Amino acid sequence: MQELVKYIVENLVDDPTKVEVTTEKDNDTVVININAEKEEIGKIIGKQGRIAKAIRTVVKAGGIKENVKYSVEINEK
């Protein structure tokens, strides 16, 4: 799932080297962290958060299929 999120995010931003996608396990939830520079975060979130919501929806759907609970967080580097 991390690779899917990384692929989506890298194609949204101008400079993919300024974006880092990591995962960590928190109890029964796998947290996918998107760490990006300040100027790239707006492109990841989108207008009114639509792109971020779409990314979370895709991850959640994949998690249901895999029987894993995912959470996506967008952070500034």
Side-chain angles (χ1 to χ4, degrees), residues 11-26:
N11 284 293
L12 289 172
V13 298
D14 292 331
D15 188 3
T17 60
K18 294 183 178 180
V19 177
E20 183 180 288
V21 179
T22 60
T23 59
E24 59 184 51
K25 190 160 174 97
D26 182 34

Side-chain angles (χ1 to χ4, degrees), residues 23-33 68-71 73:
T23 59
E24 59 184 51
K25 190 160 174 97
D26 182 34
N27 295 332
D28 61 339
T29 305
V30 177
V31 180
I32 300 174
N33 292 305
V68 178
K69 186 175 179 183
Y70 287 103
S71 173
E73 295 184 8

Side-chain angles (χ1 to χ4, degrees), residues 28-43:
D28 61 339
T29 305
V30 177
V31 180
I32 300 174
N33 292 305
I34 302 171
N35 300 309
E37 297 289 332
K38 188 173 185 175
E39 63 270 6
E40 303 291 356
I41 288 179
K43 295 175 186 101

Side-chain angles (χ1 to χ4, degrees), residues 1 7 27 31 37 44 54 60 64 68 70 76:
M1 194 60 65
Y7 176 79
N27 295 332
V31 180
E37 297 289 332
I44 297 168
K60 187 175 182 180
I64 290 171
V68 178
Y70 287 103
E76 184 180 333

